[in-house]
């Protein structure tokens, strides 16, 4: 116990002054001497040693429970003590970085206190381990085990804060599967508008997203490097510790513009610390916005009406379907009941869901499709190949208003059923391989203006009927075996050529369809 007391005394002697200083004088976002920053940056190197050592201790303890590996438990005491000393050194160098590297904000303070708390907990665990060796009581074992577990929790939480400092708030949860986010109640952050700022303001739709992707990681409410916030226009207008960073209609006096156009190896170049730089397109958008007066409220139409030439801004992609997260309970229940899969297209909640039936296609019929009516607007891709769906079921499919792709291969649908699909104004790809669809479907396909691909090998449609399709609807059609080369449309009003395709029993919409060139947007 005497050794334990001395160890704890030395530990507190090193960390208590640091904790008191951090409480009274938290990092203020100012950059200080280069030599301090140089030393502080070793924190990112040193911190990995205690992390690996702390993670190793429970492994040694658990393996040591087996008699043949009992010696490993003796090594655990040494490793834990070494981890404690390593966390103290990492905490000191971390404090140097926090106070000299221009950091400030809640996230920095949380990471600092986690870094100070961790060696204290490890030190207590060392003392309890020594006590357990002398008196192997149930109380000693439970106390040591609980403290060691707490040390792992503190290490994980502190590491998460550090990762958020480096990569952005919520770094660990950014790519979390959507269903896990729903379980934990995590929501995508809403874009913040300043007072009086319309939702279609050019700043809000084109400039703020650039800051969100490249700048807020260091200039957000929880980090605030250099005293600068870039989460809203109001934050931008306040500037940083050295004053305003944007001067309307004056690039030379706009510090923001200067920083993003410096050479990449310049110490003041932004984004800093090796983060992904802005693209030429993004720099040009910011340049034009500043030259046009750096307005928080003017829309793209307003700027164009004033004669401002905006460099082809990338407009936000319209949602493919409504946000499916409010429907998660229904989605889960229908999956369990109907034995189908309802899978998100991507991490973006407005990209819609895919209906998959490949696991048990013979159990999918018209009645099952009717039960999916509550999710009709969410389904953008329906894989119904080899199911028992008939023309009656296509009436239900026609209510999937946001449907982009539809696979009906080897089903009993006919041309009459295809006619029910005309209301699907967004349908781009249709697979009719091995169906009973015949020449009567050609007029229907011509009416579907969004249709770009039609796969029809093994159907009852003749090549003449397929060739009669006009480029007005411009679907790519597959019917025949491959030829030596693909024919090119000689003029705008020519009949659609038949795209080559290998004869196969299981053709899918994604298999080497020849795409006709789409007209460029004006």
């Amino acid at each position: 116990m005497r050794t334990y007391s001395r160890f704890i005394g030395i530990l507190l002697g090193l960390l208590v002054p640091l904790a008191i200083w951090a409480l009274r004088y938290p990092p203020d976002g100012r950059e200080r001497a280069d030599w301090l920053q140089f030393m502080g940056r070793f924190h990112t190197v040193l911190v990995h040693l205690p992390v690996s050592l702390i993670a190793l201790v429970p492994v040694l303890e658990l393996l040591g429970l087996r008699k043949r590996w009992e010696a490993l438990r003796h090594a655990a005491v040494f490793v834990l003590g070494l981890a404690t000393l390593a966390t103290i050194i990492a905490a000191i160098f971390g404090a140097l970085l926090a106070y000299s590297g221009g950091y400030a904000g809640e996230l920095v303070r949380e990471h600092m206190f986690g870094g100070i708390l961790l060696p204290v907990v490890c030190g207590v665990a060392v003392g309890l381990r020594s006590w357990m060796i002398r008196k192997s009581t149930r109380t000693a074992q439970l106390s040591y085990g609980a403290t060691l577990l707490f040390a792992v929790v503190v290490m994980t939480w502190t590491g998460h804060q550090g990762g958020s400092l480096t990569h952005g708030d919520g770094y660990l949860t950014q790519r979390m599967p959507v269903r896990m986010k729903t379980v934990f109640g995590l929501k995508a952050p809403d874009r913040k508008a300043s007072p009086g700022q319309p939702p279609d303001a050019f700043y809000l739709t084109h400039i703020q997203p650039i800051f969100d992707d490249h700048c807020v990681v260091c200039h957000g409410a929880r980090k605030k490097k250099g005293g600068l916030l870039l989460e809203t226009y109001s934050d931008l207008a306040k500037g940083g510790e050295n004053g305003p960073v944007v001067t309307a209609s004056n690039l030379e006096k706009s510090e923001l513009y200067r920083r993003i156009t410096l050479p990449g190896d310049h110490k003041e170049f932004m984004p800093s610390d090796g983060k992904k730089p802005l693209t030429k397109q993004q720099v040009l958008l910011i340049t034009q916005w500043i030259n046009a007066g750096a307005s928080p409220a003017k829309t793209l139409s307003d700027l164009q009406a004033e004669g401002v030439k905006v460099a082809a801004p990338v407009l936000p992609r319209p949602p493919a379907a409504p946000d499916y997260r409010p429907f998660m309970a229904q989605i889960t229940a229908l999956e369990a009941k109907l034995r189908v899969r309802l899978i998100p297209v991507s991490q973006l909640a407005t990209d819609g869901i895919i209906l998959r039936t490949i696991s048990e296609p013979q159990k999918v019929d018209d009645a099952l499709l009717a039960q999916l009516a509550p999710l009709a607007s969410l389904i953008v891709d329906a894989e119904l190949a080899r199911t028992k769906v008939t023309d009656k079921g296509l009436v239900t499919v026609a209510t999937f208003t946001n449907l982009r792709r539809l696979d009906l291969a080897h089903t009993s649908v006919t041309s009459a059923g295809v006619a029910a699909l005309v209301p699907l104004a967004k349908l781009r790809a249709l697979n009719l391989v091995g169906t009973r669809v015949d020449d009567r479907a050609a007029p229907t396909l011509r009416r579907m203006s969004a249709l770009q691909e039609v796969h029809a090998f093994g159907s009852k449609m003749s090549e003449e009927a397929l060739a009669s399709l006009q480029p007005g609807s411009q679907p790519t059609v597959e019917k025949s075996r491959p030829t030596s080369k693909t024919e090119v449309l000689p003029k705008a009003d020519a009949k659609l050529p038949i795209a080559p395709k290998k004869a196969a029993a299981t053709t899918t919409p994604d298999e080497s369809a020849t795409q006709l060139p789409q007209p460029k947007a004006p």
Side-chain angles (χ1 to χ4, degrees):
M1 291 299 292
R2 185 175 299 175
T3 303
Y4 167 66
S5 300
R6 288 176 181 175
F7 188 84
I8 292 297
I10 295 172
L11 187 66
L12 294 177
L14 288 170
L15 296 178
V16 169
L18 182 59
I20 294 174
W21 181 269
L23 273 173
R24 296 192 62 182
Y25 307 103
D28 56 9
R30 296 177 181 274
E31 292 192 6
R32 291 177 171 82
D34 286 347
W35 69 271
L36 284 175
Q37 293 189 49
F38 169 73
M39 292 184 63
R41 291 188 179 188
F42 279 94
H43 168 72
T44 56
V45 177
L46 296 170
V47 76
H48 294 91
L49 176 61
V51 168
S52 58
L53 292 176
I54 293 171
L56 179 60
V57 174
V59 177
L60 295 175
E61 294 285 6
L62 291 173
L63 290 176
L65 293 175
R66 301 189 65 177
K67 191 170 183 179
R68 59 183 297 187
W69 293 328
E70 189 175 359
L72 292 178
R73 300 199 70 187
H74 298 292
V77 180
F78 172 76
V79 173
L80 185 56
L82 186 61
T84 304
L85 293 176
T87 55
I88 295 173
I89 296 171
I92 293 173
F93 277 82
L96 291 177
L97 180 60
Y99 281 101
S100 64
Y103 295 96
E106 178 187 353
L107 191 59
V108 178
R109 292 194 297 272
E110 290 177 354
H111 183 58
M112 282 188 66
F113 282 110
I116 293 171
L117 176 62
L118 184 57
V120 174
V121 177
C122 289
V124 172
V126 170
L128 291 173
R129 186 68 174 81
S130 301
W131 177 36
M132 192 178 71
I133 292 174
R134 294 182 180 183
K135 297 182 179 181
S136 185
T137 63
R138 184 68 173 172
T139 302
Q141 292 174 351
L142 290 176
S143 299
Y144 169 66
T147 305
L148 187 59
L149 177 61
F150 183 57
V152 173
V153 171
V154 173
M155 178 191 70
T156 304
W157 181 81
T158 306
H160 171 61
Q161 304 303 94
S164 297
L165 275 173
T166 304
H167 303 286
D169 203 6
Y171 174 67
L172 289 181
T173 59
Q174 185 179 13
R175 300 298 180 185
M176 180 184 289
V178 176
R179 295 194 178 186
M180 287 184 65
K181 287 184 178 181
T182 303
V183 171
F184 290 105
L186 300 176
K187 297 180 179 179
D190 296 327
R191 186 166 295 159
K192 302 175 183 177
S194 299
Q197 195 172 35
D200 59 342
F202 185 83
Y203 173 85
L204 200 59
T205 56
H206 296 93
I207 306 301
Q208 186 63 54
I210 299 175
F211 295 156
D212 290 342
D213 291 341
H214 296 270
C215 309
V216 169
V217 61
C218 291
H219 300 288
R222 302 193 68 195
K223 191 169 182 181
K224 203 177 180 180
K225 192 171 184 180
L228 175 64
L229 284 175
L230 291 176
E231 291 189 341
T232 67
Y233 180 86
S234 299
D235 296 331
L236 174 67
K238 292 175 184 176
E241 62 183 25
N242 296 319
V245 294
V246 169
T247 301
S249 304
N250 193 328
L251 290 175
E252 293 182 359
K253 292 184 178 180
S254 296
E255 181 67 10
L256 172 69
Y257 173 78
R258 186 184 76 84
R259 293 288 189 109
I260 64 176
T261 54
L262 286 170
D265 58 352
H266 195 284
K267 69 175 185 178
E268 294 185 344
F269 173 75
M270 293 294 172
S272 60
D273 300 329
K275 295 180 177 65
K276 185 179 179 180
L278 274 61
T279 65
K280 292 181 179 179
Q281 170 81 2
Q282 291 170 330
V283 172
L284 186 55
L285 282 173
I286 292 175
T287 301
Q288 293 174 326
W289 175 70
I290 294 175
N291 278 332
S295 169
K298 289 182 179 179
T299 64
L300 175 61
S301 300
D302 295 334
L303 296 178
Q304 291 174 336
E306 295 174 3
V308 177
K309 294 182 178 180
V310 181
V314 180
L315 298 174
R317 184 179 62 173
D323 188 332
Y324 62 77
R325 288 173 295 186
F327 298 86
M328 281 306 301
Q330 287 177 286
I331 291 174
T332 303
L334 285 172
E335 278 189 319
K337 177 183 178 182
L338 305 179
R339 309 295 294 177
V340 298
R341 299 294 307 280
L342 297 165
I343 304 173
V345 171
S346 71
Q347 292 286 334
L348 189 61
T350 55
D351 272 353
I353 58 178
I354 302 171
L355 168 60
R356 286 187 175 163
T357 62
I358 192 170
S359 58
E360 296 181 284
Q362 294 304 312
K363 294 185 179 181
V364 178
D365 55 18
D366 300 340
L368 184 147
L369 283 181
Q371 296 182 65
L372 293 171
L375 308 178
S377 63
L378 305 178
I379 299 173
V380 298
D381 191 333
E383 300 176 359
L384 302 176
R386 295 178 175 82
T387 63
K388 293 183 178 180
V389 171
T390 68
D391 291 349
K392 182 179 178 181
L394 295 189
V395 176
T396 300
V397 173
T399 65
F400 299 173
T401 52
N402 291 307
L403 195 64
R404 265 70 170 175
R405 302 178 67 86
L406 176 59
D407 186 356
L408 297 171
H410 304 289
T411 60
S412 59
V413 298
T414 68
S415 298
V418 171
L421 302 178
V422 172
L424 295 177
K426 300 177 181 179
L427 187 65
R428 296 197 298 259
L430 179 61
N431 189 355
L432 300 173
V433 170
T435 64
R436 295 159 56 191
V437 175
D438 56 25
D439 292 356
R440 289 173 295 176
T444 299
L445 296 176
R446 286 198 295 268
R447 293 169 58 193
M448 302 173 72
S449 59
L451 198 60
Q452 298 173 8
E453 301 176 25
V454 174
H455 302 258
F457 176 77
S459 71
K460 295 183 178 299
M461 294 186 72
S462 65
E463 293 189 359
E464 291 75 13
L466 292 172
S468 70
L469 298 175
Q470 297 298 319
S473 60
Q474 293 196 343
T476 295
V477 182
E478 298 181 356
K479 181 68 179 180
S480 63
R481 295 181 180 274
T483 56
S484 59
K485 62 180 180 178
T486 303
E487 193 177 342
V488 179
L489 288 177
K491 22 180 174 172
D493 59 351
K495 292 182 179 180
L496 183 68
I498 300 169
K501 180 78 173 78
K502 289 184 179 181
T506 56
T507 309
T508 63
D510 293 330
E511 293 179 351
S512 63
T514 304
Q515 299 277 346
L516 291 183
Q518 299 297 306
K520 294 184 178 179

